[in-house]
Amino acid sequence: MTLQRELSRSQVCGMMREELCQGKDFLQSDTHIFIIMGASGDLAKKKIYPTIWWLFRDGLLPDDTYVVGYARSQLTVADIRKQSQPYFKVEPDEQKKLEEFFARNSYVSGTYDDSTSFRRLNAHLDALHNGDKANRLFYLALPPSVYEHVTRNIKECCMGHGGWNRIIVEKPFGKDLESSNKLSNHIASLFREDQIYRIDHYLGKEMVQNLMVLRFGNRIFGPVWNRDNVACIILTFKEPFGTEGRGGYFDEFGIIRDVMQNHLLQMLCLVAMEKPASTDSDDVRDEKVKVLKCISELQLGNVVLGQYVGNPDGVGEARKSYLDDPTVPTGSNTATFATAVLYVDNERWDGVPFVLRCGKALNERKAEVRLQFRDVPGDIFQRQCKRNELVIRVQPNEAVYTKMMTKKPGMFFDPEETELDLTYGNRYKDVKLPDAYERLILDVFCGNQMHFVRSDELREAWRIFTPLLHKMESERIKPIPYCYGSRGPPAADELMKRVGFQYEGTYRWVNPHKL
C-alpha cells in the first residue's frame, strides 16, 4: 500500500481493516484469541506466527488480540520466539512493536487426545482479559490424523460462550472421496459450516483473487470468454526443485493430491464459473460448485504422469532422482509431475479443454493461467498470425499480459507478436502485496468465507479425481521418467497438442521490471 503523508500508518491500517471487513462481526467483541494448535511445528513457525505478527504490526488485527500456542512439546514463549523469529522480517524500528506482540503470546502444553489437557487450555483462555467472552479462532496446524481428536476436544472443552468460535482446517482434506467425506461429516457434526474455514492458500494470492475482477469488472472480456473464441485453457504450477529430503510426506500424497486437486482446480473454477449474483461468499461458491458438477471423472487416457530422474549435467540436487531421496520408499511409483485434461460440459465451455499441468524439478518456477484463443478467421496475412493469448501470471512477478499481433515497425507490412503488459512490479512500484496467509487469516477474523473451500465444493473436487487415483494405486501405474530441470515428459506436450493447444516457441514474455 502507498501511505498518504497526512495519515499515520496506524490510521491507514485502521481504515483498511474496516474496509476489508465491510461491517462484518470483526469488532463485536473487545477480545479475540487466536489459538495455534500444533504451535511447535514447521507450518506454525514458518507461516502462522509470522503472519499473525505481520497483521499485528500493520494494525490489521482487533486491538485486544491474544495468541495462544498449543502443542505436545514442553516449550515457552521464548522458545516459540526463537524458532519463528527468523521468518518474521522485522525492521530495526519495529523492535518495540515486536515486544508488544510477544507480550500478548502464551503457550500451553498438552496432548491432542486427552480432554484433561483441553480443559487446562480452556482455563488458560478464560483467564485472559475477557477470555470467557472472547471470540476464539482455532488454527489446526496439524496432521489430519489428529483432526478428529482435536476437533472433538475443542467442541467439548474449549468453546467460548460470549463471542463466535471459528476453526481453520489445513489441507490435505482427506486422500480421496471416502476419507474426505468421513472427515467432513465428523467436523460437520461438531461445527456449523459458517464456523469452518478450509484453507487453500492459493485462494489468497493476489492474481488468483484478481481473476474475478478481470472477468466481471471489464466489459471487453465478457463477449470472448466462451467456447466460440477460446481454443483451450492451460493452468500451470511448476517448481524448479525436487523433494530434497522431504519426500516421505510428499510420497504419501503425490503431485495430484498436493497441487492439482486443490490449487489448480480452484483456479479452474474461477476461470470457468458464471457471474455470481454478488460477491457474497455463498453466491461465489455456489457458482464454483456448478462448474465442478459439470466436470466428468478424470480418465487415465487424458493424463500423463511423470517422475523426475537426475540430470547428469546438473549440479548438486539436480543430479539426484526422486528415488535418491532417502525418505522416499524404494521403487515408489508416486508421480512428481502430471498433466491432465478436463472438460466443463456446459453451454459456455462445451468442447474446450482445460489443461492442468504441475510438477517438481522442472525448468522454472511459475504459476499461471493461460487462455489461448482460436485462430483468426479468414487470415489475410498468409498464416503469419499467431494465436492471441491472455496470461494471468500468479507467481513469480505477478502480471497480466495479452499476446497479440501488431505491425512490425519500419518499412514493413508484416505482423509481429508482442504484448499488452500489466506487470505489477512496474505499475505498482510502492505497493507491498500481502502474503496469501495474511489475507486469509484476516478473512477469518472478518467472517468472510469467499476464499475458503465449502464442503460440497470439496466433495465434487474429490469425485473428479478419486477414480483416477485409485486406478493409479491399484494398478501401480509407473510414471514416465523426465530429467531434472526439463519441461517434463515429452508425452505431456504431445497430449496438449492433441487436444488443441498450439505451442509456437517463437515468443517469450520478458518481465520488464528486470530490463
Side-chain angles (χ1 to χ4, degrees):
M1 75 194 86
T2 301
L3 304 183
Q4 300 178 31
R5 291 181 184 272
E6 63 271 21
L7 294 178
S8 69
R9 181 189 181 95
S10 61
Q11 287 175 310
V12 172
C13 289
M15 293 166 58
M16 178 185 292
R17 180 174 68 187
E18 292 182 16
E19 180 182 352
L20 287 168
C21 292
Q22 298 177 341
K24 295 182 185 289
D25 51 357
F26 188 88
L27 298 173
Q28 285 182 2
S29 170
D30 287 337
T31 304
H32 292 68
I33 307 176
F34 187 88
I35 304 103
I36 304 174
M37 312 300 295
S40 61
D42 263 13
L43 178 63
K45 76 178 181 182
K46 292 179 179 177
K47 276 294 181 185
I48 311 309
Y49 275 105
T51 298
I52 290 295
W53 151 245
W54 295 330
L55 292 172
F56 178 85
R57 176 198 63 192
D58 290 341
L60 293 172
L61 293 179
D63 298 328
D64 195 22
T65 297
Y66 295 90
V67 181
V68 178
Y70 181 91
R72 289 177 293 212
S73 304
Q74 296 291 331
L75 298 175
T76 64
V77 171
D79 295 326
I80 293 288
R81 178 170 182 167
K82 182 178 180 181
Q83 70 179 19
S84 59
Q85 195 168 326
Y87 305 96
F88 269 37
K89 303 175 187 172
V90 181
E91 298 297 330
D93 62 347
E94 295 170 345
Q95 287 299 324
K96 182 179 177 182
K97 193 78 172 177
L98 187 67
E99 296 302 326
E100 292 176 18
F101 172 72
F102 276 108
R104 289 184 166 269
N105 272 257
S106 55
Y107 180 82
V108 177
S109 175
T111 62
Y112 297 128
D113 57 356
D114 175 27
S115 60
T116 303
S117 295
F118 280 79
R119 281 193 289 271
R120 190 169 67 253
L121 171 63
N122 187 60
H124 177 81
L125 302 178
D126 284 346
L128 296 173
H129 177 249
N130 288 333
D132 56 334
K133 302 183 180 109
N135 294 326
R136 297 183 179 185
L137 196 166
F138 297 87
Y139 198 116
L140 304 192
L142 296 164
S145 58
V146 299
Y147 278 179
E148 290 195 17
H149 290 304
V150 170
T151 50
R152 185 180 296 110
N153 281 318
I154 289 173
K155 177 66 175 180
E156 294 175 356
C157 306
C158 295
M159 299 285 276
H161 300 291
W164 47 252
N165 297 272
R166 292 170 185 159
I167 182 167
I168 301 179
V169 184
E170 271 279 352
K171 78 175 184 71
F173 314 118
K175 292 186 66 175
D176 57 13
L177 182 59
E178 181 181 359
S179 59
S180 176
N181 284 344
K182 181 183 176 185
L183 178 60
S184 289
N185 292 339
H186 168 77
I187 295 178
S189 72
L190 303 171
F191 305 98
R192 302 187 310 272
E193 184 65 34
D194 65 350
Q195 295 176 303
I196 305 167
Y197 291 73
R198 300 173 189 85
I199 191 168
D200 180 341
H201 76 274
Y202 247 65
L203 289 176
K205 288 190 174 292
E206 178 73 28
M207 300 311 294
V208 174
Q209 294 195 351
N210 201 11
L211 276 167
M212 279 187 58
V213 178
L214 284 171
R215 285 199 57 193
F216 305 124
N218 293 293
R219 176 81 178 188
I220 59 174
F221 293 129
V224 299
W225 210 274
N226 54 51
R227 60 189 171 91
D228 296 327
N229 296 283
V230 177
C232 56
I233 297 171
I234 317 296
L235 301 107
T236 300
F237 179 99
K238 300 168 74 174
E239 292 181 328
F241 50 83
T243 53
E244 298 178 359
R246 297 182 295 272
Y249 168 82
F250 179 85
D251 198 79
E252 186 180 351
F253 296 97
I255 197 70
I256 291 179
R257 289 186 179 97
D258 194 43
V259 176
M260 187 177 286
Q261 182 270 344
N262 38 75
H263 301 335
L264 292 186
L265 198 62
Q266 285 294 323
M267 289 198 292
L268 183 154
C269 289
L270 293 170
V271 171
M273 72 182 192
E274 298 300 318
K275 189 174 186 176
S278 72
T279 56
D280 178 80
S281 300
D282 280 331
D283 285 343
V284 173
R285 296 191 294 181
D286 284 347
E287 295 303 330
K288 290 165 69 179
V289 171
K290 289 177 186 177
V291 170
L292 294 172
K293 286 183 174 181
C294 292
I295 301 175
S296 299
E297 296 173 356
L298 183 57
Q299 302 299 313
L300 186 60
N302 282 336
V303 178
V304 171
L305 303 171
Q307 186 184 94
Y308 69 86
V309 296
N311 184 342
D313 298 323
V315 177
E317 291 292 329
R319 298 180 66 88
K320 299 178 182 178
S321 72
Y322 175 68
L323 296 179
D324 288 332
D325 186 329
T327 65
V328 172
T330 302
S332 170
N333 286 324
T334 296
T336 61
F337 173 96
T339 292
V341 181
L342 297 174
Y343 292 90
V344 180
D345 296 323
N346 62 15
E347 184 174 2
R348 179 182 294 273
W349 297 114
D350 186 41
V352 177
F354 286 76
V355 182
L356 282 59
R357 299 191 305 164
C358 52
K360 290 183 170 294
L362 295 174
N363 59 328
E364 61 182 331
R365 176 175 177 253
K366 181 171 75 173
E368 69 176 25
V369 178
R370 182 178 298 262
L371 281 76
Q372 186 173 87
F373 293 90
R374 295 188 180 277
D375 294 317
V376 175
D379 182 8
I380 63 173
F381 296 103
Q382 300 177 342
R383 299 190 178 277
Q384 294 183 71
C385 292
K386 308 293 190 291
R387 285 182 169 182
N388 297 141
E389 292 183 351
L390 173 65
V391 181
I392 299 99
R393 180 177 282 259
V394 176
Q395 67 179 29
N397 308 317
E398 293 88 345
V400 181
Y401 64 94
T402 302
K403 286 172 57 176
M404 58 181 295
M405 303 304 300
T406 61
K407 175 187 169 296
K408 185 182 293 187
M411 302 295 290
F412 307 96
F413 197 64
D414 296 326
E416 180 180 64
E417 200 170 17
T418 185
E419 79 278 336
L420 292 176
D421 184 9
L422 166 59
T423 297
Y424 271 49
N426 282 357
R427 176 63 178 83
Y428 304 108
K429 290 183 183 297
D430 300 321
V431 174
K432 168 192 171 290
L433 296 181
D435 177 82
Y437 276 91
E438 288 182 77
R439 299 176 191 275
L440 295 177
I441 289 178
L442 185 58
D443 275 346
V444 182
F445 274 95
C446 294
N448 180 6
Q449 291 185 299
M450 182 196 300
H451 306 299
F452 294 84
V453 181
R454 204 167 62 186
S455 58
D456 53 348
E457 196 178 343
L458 181 62
R459 185 167 57 249
E460 289 297 328
W462 277 120
R463 174 191 60 79
I464 294 166
F465 284 95
T466 292
L468 170 71
L469 292 167
H470 285 179
K471 187 178 183 68
M472 288 165 54
E473 288 157 5
S474 64
E475 299 183 11
R476 293 190 54 79
I477 293 174
K478 194 171 182 60
I480 301 169
Y482 66 94
C483 192
Y484 196 122
S486 69
R487 285 173 45 83
D493 290 331
E494 293 166 10
L495 173 62
M496 293 172 62
K497 183 178 180 181
R498 190 170 76 238
V499 300
F501 177 70
Q502 289 187 10
Y503 176 69
E504 304 290 347
T506 57
Y507 175 88
R508 185 176 181 84
W509 176 76
V510 177
N511 176 15
H513 190 54
K514 293 186 175 182
L515 292 179

